[in-house]
Amino acid sequence: MTMTLGAFVLGTPDPPALADFYRALLGWQEEDRDPEWVRLKDPEQDRPSLSFQLETGHVPPVWPPRPGTQQMQAHVDLCVDDLEAETARACALGATVEEHQPQKDVRVLRDPHGHLFCLFLPGA
């Protein structure tokens, strides 16, 4: 049996809006779109894809994690060739840089709906 990653899905109170952010960030194309579900894919391949589903009760995680708070259960890691330039571009699209940064060659950011994601250099 062969198993591969088909998609990564983020819950959000506004799937189309969050998909627009990641579409601009990644340069991916939209495959499916309705108010409760949006799927993006790399123009060069169908899978894995990044999808967004409606979760009206979404609560963003606390970073860095602290006991008794909403914990991060997953995050997206994005490999970049220029950490400073891509951090600035992500922020121009609506991301914010977190104060706590655990490594010098990784940037922890938050998307417009509060999901954490990391930009990192090859080898990090």
Side-chain angles (χ1 to χ4, degrees):
M1 181 175 153
T2 301
M3 187 180 305
T4 60
L5 178 63
F8 190 81
V9 181
L10 293 174
T12 174
D14 188 347
L18 192 57
D20 290 345
F21 168 79
Y22 280 98
R23 185 171 37 82
L25 185 67
L26 297 170
W28 285 14
Q29 64 191 36
E30 198 169 270
E31 285 298 297
D32 302 298
R33 183 182 190 102
D34 68 48
E36 296 184 4
W37 178 265
V38 180
R39 182 170 85 92
L40 303 178
K41 75 176 197 77
D42 182 326
E44 303 296 319
Q45 60 189 35
D46 189 51
R47 299 289 179 170
S49 61
L50 183 59
S51 298
F52 309 87
Q53 71 181 16
L54 180 64
E55 284 185 12
T56 56
H58 170 71
V59 176
V62 172
W63 177 257
R66 292 187 306 273
T69 62
Q70 178 65 33
Q71 299 294 299
M72 175 176 52
Q73 296 187 4
H75 69 276
V76 178
D77 280 346
L78 303 171
C79 187
V80 299
D81 57 3
D82 185 328
L83 193 56
E84 297 308 317
E86 291 302 324
T87 298
R89 191 171 72 81
C91 289
L93 292 169
T96 55
V97 177
E98 287 293 295
E99 184 177 329
H100 177 68
Q101 297 293 325
Q103 296 173 245
K104 72 173 191 151
D105 50 358
V106 174
R107 288 294 173 277
V108 179
L109 295 98
R110 201 174 281 269
D111 71 27
H113 292 185
H115 300 94
L116 294 164
F117 69 98
C118 294
L119 303 180
F120 68 96
L121 294 169

